[in-house]
Amino acid sequence: MGAQLTQYLLTGVTIGAIYALVALGFSIIYNASHVINFAQGEFVMIGGMTTVSLVDGGVPLPLAIALAVLVAAAVGLALEKLAIERARGASVVTLIIITIGASIFLRGLAQLVWDKNFHALSRSPAMHRSRCSARRSCRRACG
């Protein structure tokens, strides 16, 4: 019971931290560019899905995270240069519509690249061994 409660608490803190980072991203982008970027969530998704794909391809997790940040930043820079910068003098409503359109486009592109199924970060053999060594009966706990 205690381990389960600890797991729920850690999961809640982790998800809360992710929401806080997304909110911080909204705030920073708005303060820097005065544009509300409704595609912000898609950048989080692109980073996460890129990480999962790279780890599944055999890239170590820390390197996969760093590369995923670079990919998400490159997509954000492309959106800024190709869509938002060109409409800099437009009304706020036009910029909001552009970011909503970018959100829909990025979501569709992600569905083409990664499909519509759930994807999970696979457990590396090293993580599996360390988890099993902490338990007394590895066959029953880890399979």
Side-chain angles (χ1 to χ4, degrees):
M1 179 72 173
Q4 202 172 24
L5 179 63
T6 303
Q7 181 64 45
Y8 288 143
L9 288 173
L10 289 175
T11 301
V13 168
T14 302
I15 291 172
I18 291 170
Y19 285 144
L21 286 173
V22 171
L24 184 62
F26 272 115
S27 177
I28 289 171
I29 288 173
Y30 179 76
N31 286 333
S33 65
H34 300 292
V35 175
I36 300 172
N37 187 356
F38 285 100
Q40 183 72 26
E42 273 48 73
F43 294 113
V44 174
M45 177 261 311
I46 287 171
M49 293 304 294
T50 302
T51 301
V52 168
S53 296
L54 290 172
V55 168
D56 284 348
V59 177
L61 183 60
L63 181 59
I65 291 170
L67 291 173
V69 168
L70 292 175
V71 168
V75 172
L77 185 63
L79 174 65
E80 170 68 25
K81 293 295 179 190
L82 297 174
I84 295 175
E85 191 175 279
R86 292 181 181 198
R88 186 55 70 190
S91 69
V92 174
V93 174
T94 302
L95 292 173
I96 289 173
I97 290 171
I98 288 172
T99 62
I100 291 172
S103 173
I104 293 168
F105 172 76
L106 291 173
R107 193 174 307 148
L109 185 64
Q111 286 180 1
L112 290 175
V113 172
W114 292 293
D115 66 43
K116 294 182 180 183
N117 297 325
F118 287 103
H119 295 270
L121 197 59
S122 61
R123 184 179 304 163
S124 70
M127 287 174 63
H128 181 73
R129 280 191 302 275
S130 68
R131 180 175 175 201
C132 287
S133 66
R135 296 183 184 211
R136 291 189 181 158
S137 59
C138 185
R139 287 179 190 251
R140 191 170 33 130
C142 299

